[in-house]
Amino acid sequence: MPDHKTPRPDPSIQHSEFPVPRSELRAPRSRVLIVDDEESIRVTLAEFIKDDTYEVHTAADVDEALKLIEDHPFDVVVTDIVLPRVNGVVLLKEVKKKWPDTQVVMLTGDPTVETAVEAVRAGAFDYLTKPVSKEAINRVVANAARIKSVIDEKRILEAEKRRYQEHLQEMVEERTRDLQRSEAHYRGIVQYQTECIDRWLPDGTLTFVNDAYCQYYGKSREELIGSNWIDCVALEDRDEVKAYVERLKDSLTPENPVLATEHREVVAGGKVRWMRWSDQAIFDEHGNLVEFQSVGRDITERKQAQEREQLLLQQQIAMNKLTLSLGSLTSLQDIYTTIYDSVASLLTTDAFYISSYDKKKKLIYAEYVKDEHGNLVDPTTLPPLALEKPGRGTQSQVIRSGKPMYIPDVFEFMEKIGQSYNIAPDGTVTKDTVPYTEQDDVPRSELIAPMLLRGEVIGVIGVESNQVDAYTRTDLDLLSGLANVAAVAIENAHLQEGLKKTLEDTIRVVGLTTEMRDPYTARHQERVTTLACAIAQQMGIPEERIEGLRGAGLMHDIGKIAVPAEILTKPAKLTNLEFQLIQRHPEQAYDILKGIEFPWPVADIVLQHHERMDGSGYPNGLKNGDILLEARILAVADVVEAMSSHRPYRAALGLDAALDEIKKNKGKLYDPNVVDACLAVFEKRFTFS
């Protein structure tokens, strides 16, 4: 059923909010107990309701409260749910066990549906959310005291009725009139409540509604009485509500008479609003279910606030996830793919594109495109778009304004689009010859968000749907947030590419400097590097480590710069002293490179490239796993290239001899996995050219 602001009470038990003239509550004064472990809250609440109407007591915990109620019942108990040692729900149950008619109001700092349901199931009259305003506490305590007064009066009348019903007819008639006056008084209270209050039979037929109910639903009492309240429930919630009603019938008992629900209803003016209903079962003296009484309050604003908070949270989570995903990526293609995957997981994405903007040239370049067929389009097949004049071109407008754009229907926007292209299923791109509005299976609505970096637009992200008006303002805000995250990642990737190219050029120049002193080994370092990288790829080594291997390979003989040129180019066999000088080149290289901060252990790789698996290498006689994998790869590539090439002191030995060398010493001098990978590379027709 519906719901306003209070749990649904039952006149035969002790719920609901029914105002009674204050004069009827003056003698005796209503006894009120406030229970909270925070003294400031106890004192404040007591001051809020302090007047001649109430006799107010306070307690700091459940034990103190139980002592106070042991011999003297209270009309109203206001208790915090969270208390030291024993919580307020336990106190509620103890109060109801000893004084069933006492009205208990729960305080909570956690206003959830579960909290409310637990409280009303335990028999709470109402619950309030901290911090509690003076108006709220006065209203709820007044209503609770009034209900207690009505219940007391009704109990007295019923007791008198039972006592005298076998006696004089006059007594019966008098008491009957008293009951009628009490019922009229009770209904009068209900009529003036601001919450919606109704009574209904187990089949849903309304038997009573108050004025607030009639006003809220925009119908007269005559129209409502006899109708089924479930007809007002929004269609999307109706099956769930019907199931809830069945649970009410099956689960509520005289000892546990209350449940609550939240759902949407169609109210006056055809508006759909969220209601929270507290439904209380009413039983006869034999324990048979007679009807239900419900109290409802409108919670639409609360629901909308929760939805907004949830959407903001989802957006933040999405942006955080994208930021984390992009943080470790440096490849533009990987970044574009990750952005697409993130957007497609959150929004309808029948087509998608990322464009960059060159401010100097005033040109828009396609960088990543997925068409409406799900195909990845080669962006180089799409010509750059010139920045159009203000008011023209979708991407141009977003770039000029720096603000996102939503196009609910692309057909209606076509007059502002300068040129459109047709992307065939095979990826072929041509200018449209058929007007866009006459084509089938084309995007109909579109979101476009600028990628902003330091206040400048560096490009746009576009998301398209084949449906008209497929997106919302929330979707546009989400895409805008993701676009700004993407802008940072794309800019960083461009910077990384620039730095990488600068580093590669620097490494290449350093390597060439060495080779200029040794014309017989010209291009040796480049050739060794080419083979080493091919071996690493064959072994499945990550690209990032291969980049480090490439840098080390291009400079692995830089230490020879300290060796006299006449030794390097000597056409005869080297003396022991000359060979010892050459053997020092890894250490010389290490001394040169160790002070340079590379992203990889380049200096160590170069230092170890003449080490051997059995410890027979130089300069440090390292063995097996003590040698870096990159150095083991470089060692094999260096041997194969050196034996295959001409040297001043000998002719080239040939590739077959080189491969025989690494096969023969596989596992002894050379890493067996590296040797296998090298042989596999040459089986695939690798060449040094």
Side-chain angles (χ1 to χ4, degrees):
M1 266 275 329
D3 159 15
H4 243 107
K5 245 184 184 137
T6 26
R8 295 184 162 182
D10 174 343
S12 67
I13 316 286
Q14 57 267 355
H15 278 288
S16 192
E17 302 177 355
F18 309 127
V20 145
R22 184 170 286 273
S23 61
E24 295 185 25
L25 296 173
R26 292 203 178 275
R29 291 192 299 169
S30 296
R31 284 168 53 81
V32 179
L33 174 60
I34 297 174
V35 186
D36 199 294
D37 59 330
E38 293 186 40
E39 184 179 4
S40 60
I41 294 178
R42 296 197 304 272
V43 172
T44 300
L45 294 179
E47 284 298 317
F48 278 173
I49 64 172
K50 184 178 180 182
D51 64 15
D52 294 337
T53 307
Y54 308 112
E55 175 186 335
V56 182
H57 298 258
T58 62
D61 56 27
V62 172
D63 291 340
E64 187 178 347
L66 291 176
K67 288 179 182 178
L68 288 173
I69 70 169
E70 183 63 30
D71 299 317
H72 301 288
F74 285 83
D75 296 292
V76 180
V77 174
V78 179
T79 178
D80 191 2
I81 289 180
V82 180
L83 292 170
R85 297 181 299 280
V86 183
N87 65 36
V89 175
V90 173
L91 175 59
L92 165 62
K93 293 176 180 177
E94 290 297 320
V95 170
K96 288 295 185 180
K97 187 187 301 181
K98 186 165 183 64
W99 305 107
D101 293 339
T102 297
Q103 303 299 298
V104 182
V105 177
M106 308 300 287
L107 302 180
T108 178
D110 181 22
T112 64
V113 172
E114 292 77 11
T115 303
V117 169
E118 183 183 13
V120 296
R121 276 182 174 170
F125 169 75
D126 204 345
Y127 79 100
L128 294 173
T129 303
K130 289 184 178 181
V132 180
S133 67
K134 182 176 182 180
E135 178 186 358
I137 190 67
N138 271 287
R139 174 176 60 81
V140 172
V141 170
N143 285 335
R146 290 166 188 162
I147 291 298
K148 177 59 165 58
S149 175
V150 171
I151 290 172
D152 288 346
E153 180 181 350
K154 195 167 184 179
R155 295 267 191 237
I156 292 170
L157 291 174
E158 289 174 346
E160 289 180 354
K161 180 181 177 182
R162 286 192 299 271
R163 191 181 312 123
Y164 295 111
Q165 64 183 352
E166 296 179 356
H167 294 291
L168 298 176
Q169 183 64 31
E170 295 86 350
M171 181 71 74
V172 174
E173 292 175 355
E174 178 61 28
R175 293 303 177 233
T176 300
R177 286 193 295 272
D178 288 341
L179 284 173
Q180 290 171 343
R181 284 195 296 270
S182 177
E183 181 68 15
H185 177 59
Y186 179 83
R187 285 183 176 269
I189 293 173
V190 173
Q191 288 302 113
Y192 297 109
Q193 286 295 298
T194 56
E195 286 83 3
C196 293
I197 300 175
D198 64 13
R199 283 194 177 188
W200 47 283
L201 300 176
D203 65 358
T205 301
L206 290 168
T207 60
F208 169 81
V209 293
N210 69 345
D211 289 345
Y213 192 107
C214 296
Q215 184 176 0
Y216 190 74
Y217 289 92
K219 296 181 180 180
S220 67
R221 185 169 284 103
E222 290 72 22
E223 291 177 288
L224 291 166
I225 299 300
S227 67
N228 195 308
W229 65 263
I230 295 178
D231 294 340
C232 293
V233 177
L235 285 174
E236 52 267 48
D237 292 349
R238 195 166 293 179
D239 289 342
E240 183 179 341
V241 170
K242 288 179 178 178
Y244 166 75
V245 171
E246 293 305 314
R247 289 201 306 276
L248 282 180
K249 298 175 188 176
D250 296 337
S251 60
L252 295 187
T253 64
E255 294 74 28
N256 184 27
V258 180
L259 273 181
T261 181
E262 294 180 357
H263 56 263
R264 288 162 289 189
E265 300 202 8
V266 181
V267 301
K271 297 179 180 177
V272 176
R273 306 283 292 178
W274 275 97
M275 291 287 286
R276 180 182 183 280
W277 285 94
S278 294
D279 302 306
Q280 180 168 344
I282 301 172
F283 299 90
D284 63 19
E285 58 186 4
H286 303 295
N288 299 315
L289 177 64
V290 177
E291 62 179 348
F292 294 93
Q293 178 164 295
S294 304
V295 178
R297 70 172 63 146
D298 189 307
I299 58 168
T300 304
E301 291 184 3
R302 191 191 82 193
K303 281 288 187 180
Q304 290 173 342
Q306 290 174 346
E307 289 174 0
R308 286 193 296 271
E309 290 176 4
Q310 187 65 26
L311 286 171
L312 289 173
L313 178 61
Q314 290 174 352
Q315 290 178 9
Q316 191 59 53
I317 290 173
M319 286 185 281
N320 290 345
K321 283 184 177 179
L322 181 59
T323 301
L324 290 172
S325 298
L326 295 175
S328 60
L329 302 179
T330 56
S331 162
L332 275 172
Q333 191 61 35
D334 290 344
I335 288 172
Y336 293 148
T337 301
T338 301
I339 294 169
Y340 167 77
D341 291 341
S342 178
V343 172
S345 71
L346 297 166
L347 301 173
T348 300
T349 309
D350 292 323
F352 177 84
Y353 61 86
I354 299 175
S355 300
S356 62
Y357 174 59
D358 188 322
K359 186 177 180 180
K360 291 182 179 179
K361 297 180 180 179
K362 295 188 181 302
L363 290 176
I364 305 167
Y365 295 91
E367 301 290 349
Y368 183 92
V369 179
K370 273 215 170 183
D371 64 19
E372 59 269 29
H373 308 293
N375 300 317
L376 191 60
V377 179
D378 181 359
T380 61
T381 61
L382 291 167
L385 301 174
L387 184 70
E388 298 193 48
K389 62 183 180 180
R392 301 285 299 177
T394 54
Q395 296 187 63
S396 295
Q397 290 187 57
V398 171
I399 290 170
R400 285 187 179 279
S401 68
K403 296 179 180 179
M405 174 186 288
Y406 175 36
I407 305 172
D409 189 346
V410 176
F411 282 7
E412 296 179 0
F413 205 82
M414 281 307 297
E415 63 180 29
K416 297 182 180 181
I417 298 176
Q419 180 63 58
S420 61
Y421 293 87
N422 176 61
I423 303 174
D426 63 359
T428 305
V429 179
T430 57
K431 284 188 177 182
D432 273 337
T433 55
V434 178
Y436 191 84
T437 54
E438 297 178 14
Q439 298 180 40
D440 296 326
D441 299 326
V442 292
R444 291 296 304 274
S445 54
E446 181 176 5
L447 296 174
I448 312 173
M451 292 190 291
L452 294 167
L453 191 71
R454 294 183 291 275
E456 294 285 335
V457 179
I458 66 168
V460 300
I461 294 180
V463 182
E464 299 175 335
S465 169
N466 293 337
Q467 302 298 317
V468 175
D469 200 14
Y471 303 107
T472 65
R473 178 70 205 187
T474 300
D475 295 333
L476 189 60
D477 292 340
L478 175 58
L479 185 63
S480 297
L482 296 176
N484 289 333
V485 171
V488 175
I490 290 170
E491 181 68 8
N492 287 341
H494 284 304
L495 291 174
Q496 290 276 0
E497 284 190 347
L499 291 172
K500 179 180 174 183
K501 186 177 186 307
T502 300
L503 181 60
E504 287 176 350
D505 291 345
T506 302
I507 290 172
R508 193 174 299 277
V509 168
V510 170
L512 290 173
T513 301
T514 306
E515 294 186 352
M516 288 175 64
R517 300 184 69 252
D518 185 3
Y520 288 100
T521 57
R523 296 194 67 242
H524 164 70
Q525 292 181 121
E526 283 194 14
R527 287 156 60 87
V528 169
T529 300
T530 301
L531 177 56
C533 291
I535 293 171
Q537 289 169 347
Q538 176 68 29
M539 295 176 69
I541 292 174
E543 186 61 34
E544 181 66 20
R545 291 185 69 179
I546 294 177
E547 287 298 316
L549 175 60
R550 180 176 287 108
L554 290 171
M555 297 185 294
H556 75 273
D557 279 341
I558 190 175
K560 289 182 179 179
I561 201 169
V563 179
E566 56 270 22
I567 294 177
L568 295 175
T569 59
K570 183 178 178 180
K573 184 178 180 180
L574 299 176
T575 67
N576 288 338
L577 179 61
E578 290 170 339
F579 188 65
Q580 288 174 6
L581 285 174
I582 287 184
Q583 282 185 317
R584 292 194 59 204
H585 80 271
E587 294 174 283
Q588 299 285 355
Y590 179 79
D591 290 339
I592 293 170
L593 298 173
K594 68 181 180 181
I596 303 174
E597 191 172 326
F598 292 101
W600 321 279
V602 171
D604 290 317
I605 296 170
V606 171
L607 177 65
Q608 298 175 13
H609 80 278
H610 276 291
E611 301 286 0
R612 296 295 182 257
M613 298 292 285
D614 61 358
S616 62
Y618 60 86
N620 295 316
L622 300 179
K623 292 183 178 182
N624 300 319
D626 293 334
I627 308 170
L628 292 173
L629 175 59
E630 290 89 340
R632 284 178 262 156
I633 294 172
L634 203 56
V636 170
D638 193 28
V639 166
V640 171
E641 197 285 331
M643 291 182 67
S644 304
S645 305
H646 179 75
R647 287 292 181 267
Y649 53 86
R650 63 156 172 79
L653 300 176
L655 179 61
D656 290 341
L659 297 180
D660 285 342
E661 161 65 17
I662 62 173
K663 288 178 188 176
K664 181 175 67 176
N665 290 295
K666 171 182 171 182
K668 179 182 178 184
L669 302 180
Y670 313 114
D671 184 313
N673 294 327
V674 176
V675 171
D676 289 342
C678 181
L679 297 174
V681 164
F682 279 101
E683 286 175 3
K684 295 179 180 179
R685 301 184 181 279
F686 172 86
T687 64
F688 284 109
S689 59

